[in-house]
Amino acid sequence: MADGSTGGRDVLFVVLDTVRKDHLTPYGYDRPTTPTLERFAEEALVYEQAVAQAPWTLPVHASMFTGRYPAEHAATQESPYLPDDVGTLAESLSAEGYATACYSSNAWITPYTRLTAGFDDQDNFFEVLPGDALSGVAATLWERVTDGRLRPLADRLVELGNEVHEHLAGGDGADSKTPAIVDRVCDFVDDHAGADDRWFAFVNLMDAHLPYYPPETYREEFAPGVDPDAVCQNSKEYNAGAREIDDEEWEAIRGLYDAEVRHMDAELERLFAHLRRTGQWEETTVVVCADHGELHGEHGLFGHEFCIYEPLVNVPLLVKHPELAPGRTDEQVELLDLYDTVLDAAAATGTPERVGARPFEPGRSLLTDGRNVTDGEYAFVDYHRPIVELRQLETKARKAGVDLEQDSRFYSRMRAARRPDAKYIRNERIPDEAYRLDVDPGESDPVAVPDDDPDDPLAETRAALKRFETNHAGGWADEDGDGDASAEGDRTADGDAPADGDAPADADEALEGMDDSARDRLRDLGYLE
């Protein structure tokens, strides 16, 4: 961290992982899931039309941390780490003199993916690896593992991480890390409270992510009599067709989900109350959002994979700052705009170039009057193949004797341009979809785009998506649909696609090619015996 004080404000950035906008009280939900956020909304600007750049954690956080779209920062499951030459928000603020901290129990926000780059203090999913030690080694190892011949091992490591999360979150292992995270944030901000010190705390809370095992107090309030072990807690089983869920079970699942949201909200109240009690609240910029939502049977899907429909990408966003009058706005914004917003709030707008990050764009900051962004009428989503989830889906389908169609949404990359009244989705392996959101907000009735009326909202939105692909995304590696699911992710150390037959048959074969230091590191992490 650079020496000297900064003229910016303290910043608290909270991500409620996997939280649907329509399950929050400030957005009109009829259940009292978020009384804390309801009170916070009286002090904040509430965004009705905030759009995530993807429907899952890694690329969305990378977009918020870099101000870049997924195809630009390249952190997707096809290449699951942020490249070394992409500077981050935390690196910029650290260089500006901020104390920086990242507290999360999300398996994707770790030194392995480099999403924690620039954070002085870290507490991440892999508790056996302290966030402030060996981060560079971890990131280098993860990059090696995820490239080329070692890719099958990477997929297995993430699967193991998911299995560990499911154990810790459910059954006998149920133990939310959220209270401990809030404790650490309180300690961090107190350690750096003072006129000559500024802090940036990023927090990701995972309670609303499957599986749902809420504390008993909230379970009895929102899902009375529901046994979490008696409902489907594995989205891949349902999506693969290996498990059916009836209306009564969906109601129970949604009740458990609401109970998890209520638990997070209660912990947020504890954090907010601490800032007020210690006199830090008024001078702190507070951002609260979700990185993506969740499907509970809509469109025949469970979870947040294999589509980019509204419940996943139209996310909650509330921002408290003196230059934002409390209220509500229908202005459409993108989550990547938060990169510029935090730089602005921190008075660190001239710092990004010093750390290799994208330069500050004042037109993207939510603190700028009359924001001006090229094609700013539209928001864009870029969804690469969810390789790990796809492998898990295939496993569930195979065990159930279900054949998955290759030309289906499970194997398709997706992109979308969206504005409040219209949305156009380009799919790689299934027909494109177009929706008039002003009359069909549930995206239940795809409509044809007129080719003879360029002023039609859907025609304009499709044209905007083409411009986005030209300027920010490029073409897919195997647009004819003949490539396999990991075509873009399978790279050699030189960045080239491996020759046919180069990929190992399984993770065990990949391990044979690893050197002793890499094996030792994996053994330290508990992945090898």
Side-chain angles (χ1 to χ4, degrees):
M1 186 175 73
D3 293 331
S5 64
T6 172
R9 301 171 63 85
D10 297 330
V11 180
L12 173 64
F13 192 148
V14 179
V15 171
L16 304 176
D17 205 291
T18 322
V19 169
R20 291 174 59 130
K21 186 179 79 171
D22 61 358
H23 278 244
L24 302 184
T25 316
Y27 287 96
Y29 195 38
D30 60 3
R31 307 187 80 185
T33 53
T34 50
T36 300
L37 287 184
E38 188 171 20
R39 290 188 293 271
F40 177 61
E42 297 175 1
E43 303 179 64
L45 185 56
V46 180
Y47 290 84
E48 299 279 1
Q49 304 290 341
V51 179
Q53 273 49 77
W56 70 286
T57 295
L58 177 62
V60 175
H61 281 74
S63 288
M64 293 189 296
F65 288 176
T66 68
R68 303 172 189 266
Y69 291 104
E72 295 173 322
H73 60 60
T76 72
Q77 276 196 27
E78 297 180 29
S79 180
Y81 55 86
L82 196 62
D84 288 338
D85 60 353
V86 178
T88 69
L89 176 62
E91 288 176 320
S92 296
L93 268 60
S94 183
E96 187 66 21
Y98 270 70
T100 58
C102 173
Y103 302 119
S104 167
S105 57
N106 191 304
W108 291 106
I109 305 175
T110 70
Y112 286 82
T113 59
R114 243 194 106 245
L115 286 186
T116 58
F119 287 106
D120 304 324
D121 192 25
Q122 302 171 23
D123 175 25
N124 56 68
F125 178 85
F126 295 100
E127 293 182 343
V128 292
L129 176 68
D132 57 357
L134 298 175
S135 296
V137 174
T140 299
L141 173 60
W142 184 245
E143 181 174 341
R144 291 183 57 201
V145 167
T146 53
D147 276 342
R149 291 178 55 84
L150 303 180
R151 178 63 204 231
L153 175 61
D155 293 347
R156 180 56 186 150
L157 294 187
V158 176
E159 282 190 87
L160 286 168
N162 289 338
E163 291 167 6
V164 170
H165 167 70
E166 291 178 4
H167 170 72
L168 293 177
D172 294 336
D175 182 19
S176 169
K177 283 189 67 178
T178 294
I181 286 174
V182 169
D183 288 343
R184 291 207 62 180
V185 177
C186 292
D187 290 343
F188 170 77
V189 301
D190 287 351
D191 287 344
H192 298 283
D196 296 328
D197 208 354
R198 284 289 179 258
W199 53 261
F200 168 51
F202 176 82
V203 181
N204 175 289
L205 304 180
M206 279 282 287
D207 301 74
H209 195 289
L210 280 167
Y212 309 142
Y213 284 87
E216 184 176 357
T217 299
Y218 303 117
R219 188 171 77 238
E220 287 306 309
E221 180 181 358
F222 291 93
V226 174
D227 179 358
D229 289 317
V231 301
C232 182
Q233 294 273 16
N234 190 303
S235 61
K236 282 75 176 179
E237 288 183 346
Y238 175 79
N239 293 334
R243 174 78 149 79
E244 293 185 356
I245 301 177
D246 60 23
D247 291 344
E248 183 179 357
E249 187 173 0
W250 279 125
E251 183 178 357
I253 289 169
R254 285 189 287 269
L256 293 172
Y257 177 83
D258 286 345
E260 294 280 26
V261 173
R262 179 66 185 92
H263 177 221
M264 284 193 291
D265 185 79
E267 290 299 316
L268 271 188
E269 171 57 28
R270 198 161 62 84
L271 175 56
F272 291 175
H274 179 84
L275 292 173
R276 292 189 181 97
R277 187 170 56 252
T278 56
Q280 301 182 73
W281 180 255
E282 294 299 327
E283 295 302 316
T284 299
T285 295
V286 181
V287 177
V288 179
C289 69
D291 55 346
H292 57 79
E294 187 84 328
L295 290 174
H296 292 137
E298 300 92 340
H299 303 281
L301 293 168
F302 187 14
H304 50 271
E305 305 95 16
F306 313 124
C307 72
I308 49 178
Y309 293 122
E310 289 293 284
L312 300 189
V313 300
N314 181 200
V315 295
L317 172 63
L318 303 88
V319 182
K320 178 183 83 72
H321 187 279
E323 294 180 24
L324 294 176
R328 312 186 79 85
T329 178
D330 289 323
E331 177 190 9
Q332 181 168 262
V333 300
E334 298 179 294
L335 287 190
L336 66 80
D337 296 337
L338 296 175
Y339 168 84
D340 299 281
T341 304
V342 173
L343 287 173
D344 203 353
T349 58
T351 309
E353 292 94 330
R354 288 161 48 191
V355 298
R358 173 174 72 68
F360 171 70
E361 294 182 17
R364 282 198 174 273
S365 171
L366 302 184
L367 308 183
T368 299
D369 289 332
R371 289 178 356 111
N372 182 19
V373 182
T374 301
D375 264 335
E377 180 183 357
Y378 301 92
F380 301 98
V381 182
D382 190 5
Y383 183 35
H384 297 235
R385 289 193 187 104
I387 295 173
V388 173
E389 281 77 9
L390 182 56
R391 298 292 186 256
Q392 295 171 334
L393 186 81
E394 290 172 333
T395 298
K396 297 295 183 184
R398 185 169 57 254
K399 289 180 178 179
V402 175
D403 292 326
L404 297 176
E405 290 289 337
Q406 292 289 315
D407 289 328
S408 68
R409 67 173 55 258
F410 302 128
Y411 294 88
S412 182
R413 300 181 181 97
M414 302 172 183
R415 287 179 181 146
R418 180 205 186 269
R419 65 190 204 188
D421 65 337
K423 183 175 180 181
Y424 190 89
I425 302 173
R426 189 181 316 288
N427 294 307
E428 182 186 30
R429 297 198 176 197
I430 58 177
D432 291 357
E433 302 166 75
Y435 299 97
R436 284 298 301 264
L437 298 180
D438 50 350
V439 296
D440 181 24
E443 298 164 292
S444 60
D445 185 21
V447 296
V449 180
D451 291 325
D452 57 354
D453 183 4
D455 295 328
D456 177 85
L458 288 173
E460 291 179 334
T461 305
R462 180 176 62 183
L465 180 58
K466 290 181 179 179
R467 292 193 297 273
F468 168 77
E469 292 176 316
T470 298
N471 297 327
H472 299 283
W476 286 312
D478 53 344
E479 291 186 80
D480 59 1
D482 292 334
D484 66 24
S486 56
E488 288 189 359
D490 288 343
R491 299 178 301 181
T492 66
D494 297 325
D496 299 323
D500 291 343
D502 279 354
D506 54 31
D508 290 334
E509 183 180 338
L511 280 169
E512 294 177 2
M514 298 184 72
D515 59 30
D516 290 341
S517 62
R519 285 172 174 268
D520 289 343
R521 194 72 207 103
L522 292 178
R523 189 173 291 109
D524 290 342
L525 291 170
Y527 290 123
L528 299 177
E529 296 181 358

